[in-house]
Amino acid sequence: MRIACLTILLVASNLPPTRAGSLSGSVVLDWEPIATGLSRPVYMTGSNDPVHRRYIVEQAGVIRVVDQAGYLLATPFLNIGPTGVDRVGGPDNVFDERGLLGLAFHPDFYDSGYFYVHYTRKSDSASVIAEYHVEAFSPSVASTQERPLLVVEQPAANHNGGQLAFGPDGFLYIALGDGGFGGDPFGNGQNINTLLGSLLRISPRSTSPYGIPGDNPFAGGAPGRDEIFAHGFRNPWRFSFDR
């Protein structure tokens, strides 16, 4: 098992505030270890809970918690990998670009307990977007019972995308790659009738299994999949919102 150390880059400088493009002088960079003893960490995020826990996604299907004091908790927050309920991965537990790829907490997670994951399903390598839940009385361990929102078949092992994030509008954004290989041989990036190669935008709790924002470009009877917010992507591994 590969052991990794997750770090965060801190920027320290005694330079005064300056406009973009006019920075001069030296900037000192340093590394501060956050946690050690991790296996294939691919993402770290937080929720809006008042104790400021940090959640680390391990590609093999485990989500770990770093508590407010900076300690990595021994018990995983969620384990849907081979050492848990065994939903995540590729054949023979080969992960390559597959595995547990994304995590996003609902904006009212502190009250509702809902969060969302993006993973590769072990049985057939499909991309799954699923909802999970944590009870208020056990905030550091989530239930392994899931509610699948989307299951997207994948024609190859790579270009799965990965990122999940709630936007300032309260909707869930989902990044899916073009389906794999090189040069988009399946033509998915420009095909608005597939979810592959697209950034999706849904409302995960408004209806079952999810709702469609009315201002999505292909919503309301227009040609194309209602879930698509933008398309033409090769492999959108990570994105973020500039708030």
Side-chain angles (χ1 to χ4, degrees):
M1 177 181 294
R2 294 187 302 171
I3 302 298
C5 175
L6 188 70
T7 58
I8 185 169
L9 181 64
L10 300 181
V11 179
S13 174
N14 58 3
L15 298 175
T18 182
R19 296 177 63 86
S22 63
L23 183 65
S24 62
S26 61
V27 176
V28 179
L29 304 179
D30 198 6
W31 295 96
E32 178 183 331
I34 295 298
T36 60
L38 299 165
S39 176
R40 299 189 185 98
V42 295
Y43 188 58
M44 182 174 73
T45 189
S47 68
N48 60 353
D49 68 61
V51 295
H52 306 295
R53 286 182 291 255
R54 285 170 284 193
Y55 299 82
I56 300 170
V57 175
E58 295 182 334
Q59 189 180 5
V62 180
I63 300 175
R64 306 291 301 277
V65 178
V66 176
D67 68 13
Q68 188 177 23
Y71 294 104
L72 180 69
L73 302 186
T75 302
F77 178 67
L78 182 70
N79 187 349
I80 54 176
T83 61
V85 295
D86 205 16
R87 294 187 182 127
V88 174
D92 301 320
N93 292 330
V94 174
F95 288 90
D96 41 62
E97 294 186 20
R98 294 169 289 189
L100 182 57
L101 307 178
L103 167 66
F105 291 90
H106 197 281
D108 70 353
F109 170 74
Y110 180 63
D111 295 316
S112 70
Y114 292 112
F115 66 97
Y116 301 85
V117 298
H118 181 173
Y119 70 86
T120 310
R121 189 165 62 186
K122 184 175 182 178
S123 61
D124 59 2
S125 292
S127 291
V128 178
I129 311 301
E131 178 185 87
Y132 284 82
H133 185 252
V134 62
E135 300 291 347
F137 59 80
S138 183
S140 295
V141 179
S143 168
T144 56
Q145 183 175 357
E146 73 171 18
R147 182 175 75 93
L149 303 182
L150 275 169
V151 177
V152 182
E153 300 300 322
Q154 290 283 356
N158 61 333
H159 293 187
N160 294 289
Q163 181 71 8
L164 294 179
F166 279 90
D169 53 12
F171 295 124
L172 179 62
Y173 290 74
I174 302 161
L176 287 174
D178 62 15
F181 295 127
D184 193 14
F186 306 108
N188 291 322
Q190 298 300 323
N191 183 357
I192 60 174
N193 294 308
T194 177
L195 298 181
L196 296 172
S198 296
L199 181 65
L200 314 181
R201 179 178 180 243
I202 65 172
S203 177
R205 296 292 303 167
S206 60
T207 59
S208 182
Y210 54 84
I212 300 294
D215 57 349
N216 275 7
F218 305 116
R225 292 293 300 266
D226 290 351
E227 297 91 340
I228 294 175
F229 182 74
H231 68 100
F233 297 97
R234 182 174 187 263
N235 189 34
W237 168 240
R238 294 288 176 243
F239 66 82
S240 61
F241 290 93
D242 184 357
R243 298 176 187 269

